[in-house]
Amino acid sequence: MGKRNRHRELEVFLTTFDGSQHLRLHGWLKRHDVIIKSENIVKQDEYFGVFTVYVTENQLEKLKENNTESSLYMELEVMSTESERWNLFQDRTKDKDNLFESIQNFMFSFQVRDKKDIEKFLKEANETSLALFKKNDDFVDDYVETDEMSAKDKIKDLDLMIEAFIEEERYEDCALLVKIKDKIQKHYKQQKIKKL
């Protein structure tokens, strides 16, 4: 795909309304090779979560087009200066009790400096996904049923998570992920049967 030119990328802040929309957006970002700088799940009354991403102008246009079809996000803000980012953050955090505490449990950032940064990011991403699966059965159902990721990609993601948790001897977490994997396989078998 070639080297990315950081100067032509825009930093974009995307807000999601609920877990289902957050999952759709996450799948879209992955499929379109968008760099995710951070992902936060805060579950406030006004919104569910936020992504900070780096996109090219072409990716941004595709994202906007796909949003009208698939409702990928509820709000999009393009950041051009540090002060704009700070003002946006302040606006979002006004009158929010315990905001930092709620964000702390689900926040991770991705800034690659070396192999350890990638490993840290993957570990945090796995922990975030697992926490969502454990907290909300609707999120599991949305993950299983969404068309934003293929069955193959979902199985691959779960297999990688299972492999990571096996290394840490976290067998109960692996069992949960295997159940989700089974649900995915069952869902897609039922979809094939319906098409016949």
Side-chain angles (χ1 to χ4, degrees), residues 18-28 139 142-143 146 148:
D18 59 17
S20 176
Q21 187 178 59
H22 196 85
L23 181 64
R24 281 193 306 275
L25 178 58
H26 189 264
W28 191 95
F139 187 82
D142 289 339
Y143 183 81
T146 186
E148 296 301 318

Side-chain angles (χ1 to χ4, degrees), residues 23 140-155 158 180-196:
L23 181 64
V140 172
D141 293 340
D142 289 339
Y143 183 81
V144 168
E145 296 171 7
T146 186
D147 294 329
E148 296 301 318
M149 290 175 68
S150 69
K152 183 179 175 181
D153 287 340
K154 292 175 194 176
I155 298 296
L158 291 173
I180 295 169
K181 187 175 162 181
D182 291 343
K183 280 186 175 184
I184 290 168
Q185 291 168 335
K186 183 178 178 181
H187 172 75
Y188 283 95
K189 281 182 185 176
Q190 289 174 344
Q191 295 301 314
K192 285 183 182 179
I193 291 170
K194 287 180 182 178
K195 288 181 181 179
L196 296 177

Side-chain angles (χ1 to χ4, degrees), residues 2-173:
K3 278 189 167 179
R4 287 183 179 261
N5 186 344
R6 218 5 105 83
H7 299 288
R8 295 184 187 264
E9 291 178 336
L10 305 167
E11 186 173 8
V12 176
F13 186 84
L14 299 158
T15 307
T16 57
F17 177 72
D18 59 17
S20 176
Q21 187 178 59
H22 196 85
L23 181 64
R24 281 193 306 275
L25 178 58
H26 189 264
W28 191 95
L29 295 171
K30 267 182 108 169
R31 274 196 331 278
H32 291 86
D33 296 321
V34 173
I35 296 173
I36 300 172
K37 179 181 177 185
S38 68
E39 176 182 11
N40 305 316
I41 299 167
V42 293
K43 290 187 175 181
Q44 296 294 320
D45 290 338
E46 298 86 26
Y47 64 100
F48 178 84
V50 293
F51 285 92
T52 305
V53 300
Y54 291 114
V55 295
T56 63
E57 289 182 20
N58 289 340
Q59 287 173 320
L60 182 59
E61 288 308 310
K62 285 181 189 175
L63 179 61
K64 288 177 179 178
E65 287 172 18
N66 287 172
N67 187 51
T68 57
E69 299 167 10
S70 303
S71 183
L72 297 172
Y73 57 87
M74 66 180 220
E75 190 175 323
L76 177 146
E77 300 228 15
V78 177
M79 303 297 143
S80 60
T81 66
E82 190 65 36
S83 62
E84 281 184 7
R85 287 190 285 277
W86 178 246
N87 290 338
L88 180 65
F89 177 74
Q90 284 182 319
D91 289 345
R92 297 248 179 239
T93 59
K94 283 182 184 168
D95 303 319
K96 304 281 188 206
D97 294 332
N98 302 321
L99 177 69
F100 290 106
E101 186 178 316
S102 62
I103 290 174
Q104 187 176 3
N105 294 329
F106 288 103
M107 185 167 77
F108 58 88
S109 294
F110 186 46
Q111 296 177 345
V112 178
R113 289 182 208 99
D114 58 27
K115 185 178 176 185
K116 286 183 181 178
D117 287 338
I118 294 172
E119 290 170 358
K120 180 183 177 202
F121 171 78
L122 292 174
K123 182 175 176 60
E124 291 171 345
N126 288 344
E127 292 296 339
T128 299
S129 296
L130 182 65
L132 285 169
F133 289 146
K134 285 181 174 181
K135 273 191 176 262
N136 192 333
D137 289 336
D138 290 338
F139 187 82
V140 172
D141 293 340
D142 289 339
Y143 183 81
V144 168
E145 296 171 7
T146 186
D147 294 329
E148 296 301 318
M149 290 175 68
S150 69
K152 183 179 175 181
D153 287 340
K154 292 175 194 176
I155 298 296
K156 183 179 176 182
D157 280 351
L158 291 173
D159 284 341
L160 291 171
M161 289 175 65
I162 290 167
E163 185 179 317
F165 290 134
I166 286 173
E167 288 178 18
E168 296 176 19
E169 298 182 5
R170 294 172 55 182
Y171 302 115
E172 290 174 7
D173 293 334

